[in-house]
Amino acid sequence: MPMLIDPSSKYTPYTPLDLHDRQWPRRRIEKHPIWLSTDLRDGNQALARPMTSEQKRVLFRHLVQCGFKEIEVAYPSSSDTEFEFVRSLIESGEIPDDVWIQVMTPARAELIQRTFEAIAGAPKVIISLFNATAPCFREVVFGKTKEEIIELATTHTVLVRTLVDEHRARHGSRFRLVYGVEAFSQTEPEYVVQICTAVKDAWGLAGTPWDERVMFNLPSTVEISPPNHYADQIEYFCRHMEHRDEIVVSLHTHNDRGTAVAATELGIMAGADRVEGCLFGNGERCGNVDLVTLALNLYTQGIPCGLDFSNIQATIDIVTQCTSLPIHPRHPYAGELVFTAFSGSHQDAIKKGFEAQAAKHARCAADGRPQKWEMPYLPLDPADLGRTYEAVIRVNSQSGKGGIAYIVRTHLHIDLPRPVQQEFYRVVQRQVDRTAREMTAEEIKATFAAYYHIPLSRAGAGEDEDDNPARVALGKFALVQTMRDGHTSTTFQGRMTADGHSFTLQGEGPGALSAFLCAVESRTHLRFSAVETHERASLDPASGDIVAFVLLAETYARSGGSGAPQANGSAINGDEHAHAPTWGVGIDADPGRAIVRAAVSAMNKRLGGRPVSVVTGDTKEVLRILNDDYSLPVPQAMHDALGELCTAGDADGLSPAQIAARFVERFCQAHGDSRMTTVGTGLECFSIERIPRSPQVRLAATVTLRGVERRVTERGEDALRCLLAGLSAVVGIARARDMHVRPRLGAAQGSQHAAFVQVEISGKEPAWGVGLDDDMTTATLQAALVAVASCSRSCMDSIASRSD
């Protein structure tokens, strides 16, 4: 169903609270609230796969290390697993003396009894009693009046008080009560005050000492309004509750609108004393408020936050391992990219900021003044959280991309872009899984050099090197820039070695990378395109090198006739397809040369063990001569055949003009052009007629194949198929694999079309033929005859023997 044009016909907006003299906008937060972690209860119940008891124990210990003095450990009456976890904490002495555990129970007598059985013998316990109060719950879920809901709350509060007295006497436990107004943000403000006052009176133990105050938890069970409205509701409650010094106002916000942090901060400004939430915002639906973000927001304002995240990576690791939930790379303070700048302007600002701050801190130290943190784009010093600028620490089987990137950064002085981190991470993880041990920095360095084919003198050999040998290597090369019509053009000139064969390269393009890729394509069957590039300065200040990264995709054309992929040629249907792209890394003092080396790195990774077919000789010059002197626009698909001629021409010491002449002699059959003849092969005459009431045609032709004249009469879908079918009786089954017909610009009258046909005969290598004529059909049939004649000498011998 599409979204509504007028959503007011379906949704009702929140009703603003009439609080004209609100005070919270003029207040500032000057101290941290009481923190309660509900990771083990509210966070756990939101997981697709709840934590095991051992995972909860690990997380409990870490919460204690972080400094939480109040931890909600379970909903013990909900299951035996929850019940037993609470018992295990108590019986093993796991709970520190200064930590209060909190357990949750709804306002139901049998569940309250079960809850007290779970916490028997615990030194400090907060009982979290709750029931829903909003109109929709009262009227739809419970079917009760306001008075009946108050009766429900107070009756069960009295039960809790009775059980508290018994356990105090029996076990010496200390207790506190937190009453949760479920769906507080959707409940009438005056009714919230009424029911909480009744609960406070029923409790009867509230006093002004902090440990004696009754707590009221006011959750935005579902976030339905802006954070300022929630703050109004909190201020209203604080102003209208009598004996405010005998109560603690607690917040429990959810993130359905994405403003849980803001709502909580404004709620504290409105008078709240306590906050319930989860590390990194885990919880039902969109999550609870993120306690890490809240605490560090205070910390960056110079306010002690009461929690310790000095080793935030340890917190991330434990939370992700226990919950199986990842931390988003852009998560405030905790994401692996939050202290990383990719933008050149940001990097420059941060670099200048560090330089200016170093000088300023030196002056402050000399004068005895505080060394304030003032940095562009970095509101928090990463070192305060135990992080470097890349925010990673170490690498083992549990580590992620950041740790591996940190090793590369530290030992190879290479700052990897995130996509390259992801790619290399998978390489390292394969080795870690294979060896079942932690990889050392030297092993990671060697693996990086081998995987990306980088000749680092101190890197050593990596384990992947034999599995991914280099197929191509660059020799000496130069990049020359010229200006043409106001535009810069780059020429690449150099030598490349492929499978031990060395050859020259030359190509042009708008930049160094495009010129190199053009040069590679002109001499090999390799067609690559750049998808993404990055350039970064080496982190080794003494080197002055540039590290370039390029993501290359290899493309090929698919033939419409045979369906076989063509490495470089244009296909009949012209469709192009791309292989999966891969990253390459190159290092050089010059940015243009670095990006070229990165392209070679990517090519080697893409090729693997696949051999490289080299078009030797000056193919580009031969193609120019064929086009300019012979008016032959040779298609890309025929460059393989041209490459074979160039190879032979190189061996024979022929010039490009002589190689072009050899091409014409071998492949061409023309009408009226003495330079274009294939001896003993030709189309003498032919006629075509359509067969009545049939889509087929009938071909009658007289042809000569290497001096043997034959009569061909055949019917088929077109003239070419008829000719090949007629010759199949002699040479074997023949079919056309590829065909191109192009106009001959500047050609002599009578030969206005050039046909290029590739024919395949059963059991023989396919061959090309070229025909030239003013008539396209004539040119096509001529080309097919030349291709049949060239397909195999044994075929021609067969023709001669059968004609005898």
Side-chain angles (χ1 to χ4, degrees):
M1 182 178 72
M3 292 180 65
L4 301 175
I5 296 176
D6 179 15
S8 66
S9 63
K10 185 174 183 178
Y11 299 102
T12 302
Y14 75 97
T15 302
L17 190 62
D18 187 12
L19 195 67
H20 297 298
D21 59 342
R22 60 181 58 85
Q23 301 299 310
W24 64 261
R26 291 184 286 274
R27 296 173 182 162
R28 296 183 62 182
I29 301 175
E30 297 179 345
K31 64 178 182 178
H32 69 80
I34 301 167
W35 303 110
L36 175 127
S37 163
T38 185
D39 289 87
L40 301 177
R41 200 277 302 169
D42 203 347
N44 185 56
Q45 75 181 33
L47 298 175
R49 182 181 300 171
M51 288 180 274
T52 64
S53 294
E54 183 57 32
Q55 288 174 323
K56 291 185 70 172
R57 186 182 298 276
V58 168
L59 186 51
F60 176 84
R61 291 170 179 168
H62 188 71
L63 292 170
V64 171
Q65 290 178 356
C66 289
F68 285 95
K69 302 304 180 184
E70 296 185 7
I71 302 173
E72 188 169 38
V73 294
Y75 183 168
S77 63
S78 65
S79 70
D80 290 341
T81 301
E82 293 285 275
F83 184 95
E84 292 301 329
F85 174 68
V86 177
R87 293 305 312 154
S88 69
L89 288 179
I90 298 169
E91 293 169 1
S92 64
E94 192 79 49
I95 307 168
D97 293 338
D98 61 345
V99 172
W100 290 77
I101 62 167
Q102 178 170 303
V103 288
M104 184 180 190
T105 178
R108 289 176 54 186
E110 69 278 12
L111 300 184
I112 293 173
Q113 293 279 3
R114 180 67 170 166
T115 299
F116 272 85
E117 292 172 11
I119 55 86
K124 295 180 178 180
V125 184
I126 299 171
I127 302 296
S128 176
L129 176 70
F130 74 95
N131 63 271
T133 58
C136 63
F137 284 91
R138 297 196 308 260
E139 299 162 7
V140 177
V141 179
F142 301 128
K144 295 180 180 293
T145 64
K146 289 183 178 180
E147 291 72 19
E148 289 172 327
I149 293 295
I150 293 176
E151 170 92 14
L152 174 75
T154 55
T155 298
H156 290 90
T157 299
V158 171
L159 175 59
V160 170
R161 165 65 190 274
T162 300
L163 293 172
V164 162
D165 290 343
E166 292 178 3
H167 279 256
R168 278 177 174 169
R170 185 179 307 163
H171 303 289
S173 302
R174 298 172 61 188
F175 287 93
R176 302 180 66 191
L177 174 69
V178 55
Y179 173 68
V181 186
E182 185 78 357
F184 158 80
S185 57
Q186 296 166 274
T187 304
E188 305 92 331
E190 64 280 2
Y191 181 60
V192 174
V193 173
Q194 183 183 358
I195 195 171
C196 287
T197 300
V199 167
K200 180 173 177 290
D201 292 341
W203 176 242
L205 296 175
T208 54
W210 193 261
D211 288 356
E212 295 180 9
R213 297 186 182 190
V214 62
M215 295 182 281
F216 291 105
N217 202 28
L218 309 178
S220 59
T221 307
V222 179
E223 190 177 39
I224 61 167
S225 62
N228 61 295
H229 176 65
Y230 183 69
D232 282 348
Q233 293 176 304
I234 299 301
E235 182 170 334
Y236 181 94
F237 181 84
C238 292
R239 289 166 60 175
H240 287 80
M241 283 293 294
E242 295 182 358
H243 305 293
R244 176 66 178 84
D245 60 349
E246 294 180 353
I247 66 175
V248 171
V249 177
S250 178
L251 308 180
H252 184 114
T253 56
H254 282 260
N255 202 40
D256 299 272
R257 291 168 56 96
T259 60
V261 169
T264 302
E265 290 180 335
L266 298 189
I268 295 172
M269 293 166 60
D273 311 294
R274 181 177 184 263
V275 172
E276 296 186 354
C278 293
L279 299 177
F280 309 119
N282 181 30
E284 297 282 5
R285 302 181 309 283
C286 301
N288 292 302
V289 69
D290 177 6
L291 297 184
V292 176
T293 298
L294 271 175
L296 294 179
N297 280 357
L298 295 178
Y299 183 82
T300 59
Q301 297 299 305
I303 302 171
C305 67
L307 297 175
D308 185 5
F309 297 115
S310 298
N311 186 355
I312 199 168
Q313 189 60 46
T315 302
I316 292 171
D317 290 343
I318 289 174
V319 170
T320 54
Q321 290 167 16
C322 291
T323 66
S324 299
L325 294 177
I327 303 299
H328 193 281
R330 299 296 181 187
H331 192 104
Y333 303 112
E336 66 176 291
L337 297 180
V338 296
F339 299 119
T340 302
F342 291 111
S343 165
S345 61
H346 289 203
Q347 292 171 345
D348 183 63
I350 291 170
K351 173 180 177 293
K352 292 176 180 177
F354 272 118
E355 293 171 351
Q357 182 169 266
K360 184 176 180 180
H361 281 185
R363 294 193 299 270
C364 290
D367 299 339
R369 291 179 289 130
Q371 299 178 21
K372 295 287 188 178
W373 175 264
E374 296 177 356
M375 284 290 298
Y377 300 111
L378 294 176
L380 175 68
D381 185 353
D384 288 357
L385 304 183
R387 285 191 158 178
T388 64
Y389 184 70
E390 285 290 335
V392 291
I393 297 174
R394 58 174 294 184
V395 176
N396 59 22
S397 61
Q398 299 298 317
S399 299
K401 301 171 290 295
I404 296 167
Y406 173 77
I407 297 298
V408 174
R409 175 187 176 93
T410 303
H411 294 269
L412 296 178
H413 311 294
I414 297 175
D415 185 14
L416 298 178
R418 178 168 173 76
V420 184
Q421 291 182 29
Q422 294 173 324
E423 181 182 71
F424 188 57
Y425 163 76
R426 290 189 290 269
V427 175
V428 173
Q429 283 300 103
R430 285 196 297 270
Q431 287 197 212
V432 170
D433 293 342
R434 189 163 58 239
T435 60
R437 62 176 178 81
E438 182 177 349
M439 287 185 68
T440 67
E442 286 300 312
E443 288 172 327
I444 292 175
K445 182 175 73 170
T447 299
F448 184 88
Y451 184 68
Y452 290 104
H453 303 284
I454 300 175
L456 299 174
S457 58
R458 296 168 58 188
E463 293 185 33
D464 281 352
E465 187 172 28
D466 292 337
D467 298 332
N468 193 13
R471 308 303 302 177
V472 296
L474 270 182
K476 293 182 178 180
F477 68 95
L479 297 166
V480 181
Q481 289 188 334
T482 56
M483 290 292 295
R484 294 179 182 176
D485 301 326
H487 299 285
T488 302
S489 176
T490 300
T491 300
F492 175 92
Q493 293 178 318
R495 295 195 66 82
M496 174 178 275
T497 300
D499 294 336
H501 180 78
S502 181
F503 52 93
T504 60
L505 286 179
Q506 182 170 340
E508 293 185 3
L513 180 57
S514 58
F516 173 67
L517 295 180
C518 176
V520 170
E521 183 176 348
S522 70
R523 293 302 303 273
T524 71
H525 300 307
L526 303 176
R527 179 190 295 168
F528 289 93
S529 60
V531 179
E532 185 178 347
T533 63
H534 296 271
E535 291 180 10
R536 298 185 177 184
S538 169
L539 300 177
D540 180 4
S543 73
D545 284 336
I546 298 295
V547 185
F549 309 87
V550 60
L551 181 64
L552 284 191
E554 185 180 5
T555 60
Y556 62 89
R558 187 178 298 281
S559 169
S562 66
Q566 310 260 326
N568 245 345
S570 300
I572 292 177
N573 62 4
D575 288 341
E576 284 201 351
H577 304 266
H579 295 286
T582 188
W583 282 97
V585 182
I587 304 174
D588 200 286
D590 177 74
R593 294 175 67 87
I595 200 72
V596 168
R597 296 189 187 281
V600 175
S601 165
M603 288 177 184
N604 276 307
K605 287 175 57 194
R606 183 67 192 86
L607 291 171
R610 175 158 52 101
V612 180
S613 176
V614 180
V615 179
T616 58
D618 196 341
T619 309
K620 191 171 184 179
E621 178 63 14
V622 174
L623 287 170
R624 185 195 65 77
I625 294 171
L626 289 172
N627 188 72
D628 295 350
D629 295 356
Y630 294 90
S631 298
L632 283 178
V634 179
Q636 189 81 20
M638 200 175 175
H639 285 191
D640 286 353
L642 177 61
E644 294 177 3
L645 279 183
C646 290
T647 301
D650 279 352
D652 295 342
L654 300 182
S655 67
Q658 291 171 316
I659 295 174
R662 181 176 287 186
F663 178 92
V664 171
E665 179 183 353
R666 175 173 175 179
F667 293 111
C668 292
Q669 174 59 244
H671 175 73
D673 192 335
S674 60
R675 298 177 303 167
M676 299 181 178
T677 59
T678 301
V679 177
T681 299
L683 178 66
E684 304 302 329
C685 61
F686 73 95
S687 64
I688 300 175
E689 62 177 353
R690 293 202 168 273
I691 300 174
R693 295 182 298 278
S694 172
Q696 295 187 328
V697 299
R698 179 180 291 109
L699 171 71
T702 301
V703 302
T704 302
L705 290 177
R706 293 193 178 273
V708 179
E709 185 176 292
R710 291 191 59 84
R711 177 73 176 172
V712 175
T713 302
E714 192 62 65
R715 58 188 291 171
E717 295 178 6
D718 54 49
L720 178 58
R721 286 181 170 84
C722 288
L723 177 65
L724 295 178
L727 294 176
S728 292
V730 177
V731 300
I733 298 174
R735 66 185 186 93
R737 288 192 62 187
D738 205 350
M739 180 182 72
H740 303 264
V741 179
R742 296 182 173 182
R744 299 182 66 209
L745 301 179
Q749 186 66 29
S751 301
Q752 298 301 312
H753 291 93
F756 304 84
V757 178
Q758 188 183 42
V759 172
E760 182 179 47
I761 297 176
S762 298
K764 309 299 178 184
E765 290 294 326
W768 284 91
V770 180
L772 304 119
D773 200 276
D774 186 52
D775 178 67
M776 286 191 293
T777 301
T778 302
T780 301
L781 296 179
Q782 289 175 344
L785 285 168
V786 174
V788 170
S790 301
C791 196
S792 172
R793 181 174 295 276
S794 61
C795 287
M796 298 305 106
D797 295 340
S798 174
I799 292 174
S801 63
R802 295 183 192 186
S803 64
D804 292 341

